[in-house]
Amino acid sequence: MGRIALACAIGLAAATTLGHAPEMGPGPVSGTAAASLGRVQEAARPAAALDERAARFLEQHRGLWREENVPEADARALHDLIVERRYRRVLEIGTSTGHSAIWMARALAGTGGRLTTIEIDEARRREALGNFEAAGVAALVTARRGDARRLVSRLAGPFDLVFLDADSEWSVGYARALLPRLAPGGALAAHDVTRAKWPGTVEPVVVGQREFYRYVTAQPGIGTEFRAGVFVASLLPPTAGTPSSTR
C-alpha cells in the first residue's frame, strides 16, 4: 500500500473511532439505513391502501346509512380524535351496521390499533360484518354480539377510547363501568348528548342524556368538549388539576 493510500486508511479509521462520519459527499444510503427506510415504507403501504379502500367504500355509501348509524360528521369526528391522539385500543358500544366503526378502523389502521365493537341485534351485526369486509377493515375489528350491559363487566381494558351509541337509558351504567377502564389520557365519547339554545340563554344547554352528562362532568379530573354531535369526556393529566371543564 502506498503512503497516500495508507494515510487515507488511517484517517478513515480515526474518524470512525472518534464517532465522526467521514465526509464522503453524496452517495448511496448505507445498507442499514436503506433497510430501515424500506421497512417504514413497507409498513405504510398496507395502511395507505386500506385507507383508500375504506374511503372509496364510504364515498359509495354516503347518505345511505340507516339503522341507528351516526351521521358522517360525527363518525369523522371520532376518526380525527383517534388520529390526533394516536389512540390504539378502542371500544364501541352499539355497532349498528358499522358506519362509525369503519371510520374508526380507518383511523386505527394508521395508529396500529384495533376496535372491539358490540351489537345486540344479530341481523345488524351480520350486515356490519359484510360492510367491514367490503371496506377492507375486517382484520382490524372484533365484532361481538351480545348485551353490552352484561359484557362490559368482563372487558378488561384499558381502552384509549370508548364510544357509546347504544341504549341511552343505561349510559350512566356504562360510564360507571368504563371510566375506570380508560387508559391515562383516554376518552369516553357518547352520541345523543344533545344541546339546545333557549331564548335568553348565552350558551346552549344539554337537553339529551342530561343524567349521563351530569354524572360524567361531576367526576374529578375530566375535561369535556363537543366534537360535531359527539360528546367527549377526556381524562386530564394529573398536573392539569381535577375540576371538570366544559367547552
Side-chain angles (χ1 to χ4, degrees), residues 63-99:
L64 303 178
W65 297 96
R66 301 290 183 270
E67 295 291 338
E68 308 299 327
N69 285 288
V70 303
E72 180 179 328
D74 299 350
R76 187 184 295 274
L78 293 165
H79 169 281
D80 293 349
L81 181 66
I82 292 169
V83 171
E84 288 170 19
R85 301 186 183 179
R86 307 301 298 169
Y87 285 159
R88 300 185 63 188
R89 299 160 295 185
V90 179
L91 172 67
E92 178 182 51
I93 306 296
T95 314
S96 188
T97 57
H99 187 211

Side-chain angles (χ1 to χ4, degrees), residues 204-229:
V205 295
V206 172
V207 294
Q209 297 232 56
R210 293 177 68 181
E211 185 181 354
F212 167 78
Y213 176 80
R214 287 169 178 164
Y215 174 81
V216 171
T217 55
Q219 305 308 305
I222 287 182
T224 64
E225 62 180 311
F226 285 87
R227 295 188 175 214

Side-chain angles (χ1 to χ4, degrees), residues 78-149:
L78 293 165
H79 169 281
D80 293 349
L81 181 66
I82 292 169
V83 171
E84 288 170 19
R85 301 186 183 179
R86 307 301 298 169
Y87 285 159
R88 300 185 63 188
R89 299 160 295 185
V90 179
L91 172 67
E92 178 182 51
I93 306 296
T95 314
S96 188
T97 57
H99 187 211
S100 53
I102 292 170
W103 275 95
M104 289 190 287
R106 183 182 171 190
L108 290 165
T111 65
R114 289 190 58 83
L115 169 70
T116 298
T117 183
I118 301 172
E119 173 57 47
I120 195 170
D121 185 87
E122 178 59 22
R124 285 201 291 258
R125 176 179 171 274
R126 282 198 304 270
E127 186 174 346
L129 289 173
N131 288 332
F132 298 155
E133 288 287 348
V137 301
L140 301 177
V141 181
T142 299
R144 300 182 61 174
R145 193 198 74 80
D147 186 343
R149 291 175 292 184

Side-chain angles (χ1 to χ4, degrees), residues 156-224:
F159 300 103
D160 298 315
L161 174 64
V162 174
F163 175 51
L164 304 179
D165 189 28
D167 45 339
S168 57
E169 66 274 9
W170 215 73
S171 56
V172 173
Y174 291 132
R176 286 197 182 103
L178 293 169
L179 276 174
R181 296 195 177 111
L182 289 180
L188 175 67
H191 204 236
D192 299 323
V193 182
T194 54
R195 297 179 295 172
K197 191 171 181 180
W198 304 120
T201 60
V202 177
E203 296 291 334
V205 295
V206 172
V207 294
Q209 297 232 56
R210 293 177 68 181
E211 185 181 354
F212 167 78
Y213 176 80
R214 287 169 178 164
Y215 174 81
V216 171
T217 55
Q219 305 308 305
I222 287 182
T224 64

